[in-house]
Amino acid sequence: MAKKDRPKAASVLKKDDQIVIGGAGGFIAGALTRYFHDQGFTRIRAIDKKPLPQWYQRVPGVECLCMDLSHEDDCKRACEGAVEVYNLAADMGGMGFIERFRIECLRSILINTHMIEAAYRAGATRYFFSSSACAYNVELQKNPDCPALKESDAYPAMAERGYGWEKLMSEMFCQEYWAERHFETHIARFHNVYGPWGTWDGGREKAPAAICRKVMEAKDTGARDITIWGDGHQTRSFMYIDDCTQGIDMIMHCDALIATPINLGSNFLVSINGLVAMAEEIGGIKLKRKYDLNAPKGVGGRNSDNTFIKQVLGWEPDTPLKDGLRKTYAWIEQQYMARKAGQRPVS
Ligand code: NAD
């Protein structure tokens, strides 16, 4: 599809259509809220269970509500008058979190179950669900050089325990709402997303943010070494946040992608050792590497096969990792320094 023909919110919605975004106190939904706000949408309702002062971003002019979307009544209130609903709320984090807190991850099924029903009852036009590459069969991801994952690789199912199964089941809800009730749903399987205004400390952070922080900690304290989870040979791809928000918009407004899960991720594969080297280069330091082989390290290798997204949208996430990581490092450094100076950072 040519760039000019790709429908987006700006060409499909009226500026005062009600947009509802769940999980907006967090990283991706916070960025999505800003994305729509910057395009001139005037009725955005942003929701998160975190108290408002703890939101990563609070966008001026946006209705920000602290509500628990695992509760049916809160979902009903959240979806009142909605034209589009974006569900990005989930109890989640990096490997350290999802391997340890499987029950919390599974309980996110309540969020999607109530949100999609509330959106349907409210008469919304479209519903978006943020799935994950963790929905893919783990048997296909054992080695660092495994083939990139294509959409059909989710079945036969052997998803990541807890988090991945919740995503797979919620995808199925979205597909059945379309099949049985003709409620238009869209599903993106995100592969690792990174960027400014994301979690960078506290146990839920993901590899790019954790590695940037560890590099600056080593610089700051003079420790000169870095602890890496696993042997560092695990491979991943990482998508910059601006690609993610654009991709969500295109996927949500593409008629060929109704109830059809699609990869939204970069296909630039890098090992964790390679990621550390990039962060060291940005930080201007070389560190001694220690490997914690008992730490959670996830699958051996995971990449996004972008054949389908290129075919259907004529586009794929393309921000070079070095550029995105540089911006992320700079933002985390500001946060790190702010915390050191006694201010309250985002984390
Ligand atoms: P995040 O943790 O920064 O944001 C999720 C937000 O959901 C949090 O602010 C949390 O408070 C909120 N939330 C949790 N339970 C809630 C509830 N019951 N009611 C209301 N709000 C609730 O995570 P993120 O990285 O922004 O992820 C957003 C979505 O994308 C999630 O569904 C996640 O599973 C998915 N995803 C993210 C990545 C990634 O690399 N970040 C990769 C794959 C999928």
Side-chain angles (χ1 to χ4, degrees):
M1 190 185 288
K3 199 171 179 182
K4 63 176 178 38
D5 301 328
R6 255 179 248 141
K8 284 188 164 188
S11 56
V12 171
L13 295 181
K14 297 199 292 291
K15 289 292 182 212
D16 62 352
D17 277 346
Q18 179 74 61
I19 297 175
V20 173
I21 304 178
F27 170 42
I28 303 175
L32 189 67
T33 303
R34 186 169 291 284
Y35 172 87
F36 284 133
H37 171 267
D38 291 352
Q39 290 182 31
F41 289 101
T42 55
R43 291 178 64 217
I44 304 173
R45 186 178 299 138
I47 298 150
D48 203 287
K49 74 172 176 185
K50 287 195 289 203
L52 292 173
Q54 291 174 24
W55 287 31
Y56 294 172
Q57 302 196 57
R58 266 163 75 189
V59 182
V62 166
E63 180 186 9
C64 296
L65 302 176
C66 175
M67 297 201 297
D68 187 336
L69 297 175
S70 63
H71 297 161
E72 189 179 0
D73 286 345
D74 284 8
C75 289
K76 282 185 187 159
R77 163 72 189 93
C79 290
E80 271 170 20
V83 173
E84 290 194 345
V85 175
Y86 294 80
N87 172 22
L88 289 95
D91 220 343
M92 66 90 65
M95 266 305 145
F97 183 85
I98 68 174
E99 284 198 1
R100 181 147 176 249
F101 297 107
R102 290 184 177 142
I103 296 174
E104 273 76 1
C105 292
L106 283 167
R107 285 180 60 83
S108 292
I109 194 107
L110 294 171
I111 301 174
N112 194 62
T113 308
H114 292 315
M115 264 313 249
I116 194 167
E117 178 69 17
Y120 168 73
R121 282 174 185 256
T125 308
R126 285 179 204 85
Y127 182 87
F128 177 88
F129 175 64
S130 52
S131 186
S132 164
C134 291
Y136 282 114
N137 190 327
V138 289
E139 297 293 322
L140 303 175
Q141 308 171 62
K142 288 195 162 155
N143 305 312
D145 56 355
C146 287
L149 296 159
K150 54 188 183 308
E151 285 75 3
S152 55
D153 289 334
Y155 293 95
M158 187 56 75
E160 189 107 29
R161 281 189 76 80
Y163 180 71
W165 279 101
E166 186 278 317
K167 292 297 188 191
L168 211 52
M169 276 304 299
S170 290
E171 284 188 3
M172 195 181 288
F173 269 92
C174 293
Q175 292 176 307
E176 297 310 331
Y177 268 78
W178 170 246
E180 281 184 27
R181 299 193 190 173
H182 226 66
F183 180 40
E184 184 173 327
T185 58
H186 295 262
I187 306 152
R189 290 188 185 138
F190 298 165
H191 290 245
N192 293 294
V193 190
Y194 72 100
W197 301 99
T199 312
W200 61 277
D201 203 358
R204 288 183 189 245
E205 66 279 16
K206 300 192 142 205
I211 289 168
C212 288
R213 190 202 68 231
K214 286 179 184 184
V215 167
M216 62 193 74
E217 268 168 2
K219 262 178 86 169
D220 186 39
T221 60
R224 302 279 149 180
D225 55 30
I226 182 165
T227 301
I228 296 168
W229 287 8
D231 60 12
H233 295 307
Q234 320 86 285
T235 53
R236 295 289 185 276
S237 68
F238 298 97
M239 167 171 58
Y240 190 59
I241 184 66
D242 292 357
D243 287 332
C244 185
T245 49
Q246 264 206 64
I248 293 172
D249 188 354
M250 286 188 266
I251 289 168
M252 179 71 147
H253 299 101
C254 177
D255 289 345
L257 291 174
I258 299 173
T260 305
I262 185 166
N263 280 333
L264 182 56
S266 159
N267 67 358
F268 177 77
L269 196 66
V270 64
S271 69
I272 296 300
N273 279 329
L275 193 63
V276 172
M278 280 188 194
E280 284 176 333
E281 195 188 319
I282 295 166
I285 192 169
K286 199 92 192 114
L287 300 169
K288 186 172 173 326
R289 296 178 188 192
K290 294 183 184 165
Y291 294 97
D292 181 353
L293 300 180
N294 295 317
K297 61 178 189 333
V299 293
R302 175 180 290 159
N303 196 2
S304 176
D305 183 323
N306 286 348
T307 310
F308 184 45
I309 195 167
K310 281 193 284 189
Q311 177 203 320
V312 76
L313 294 178
W315 173 88
E316 67 181 316
D318 59 1
T319 303
L321 180 56
K322 269 195 180 155
D323 296 354
L325 202 63
R326 200 172 287 284
K327 290 183 192 164
T328 308
Y329 188 101
W331 180 80
I332 295 176
E333 196 164 41
Q334 273 173 16
Q335 295 292 309
Y336 184 89
M337 291 306 171
R339 183 172 69 184
K340 211 175 153 187
Q343 293 157 20
R344 228 193 62 208
V346 167
S347 76

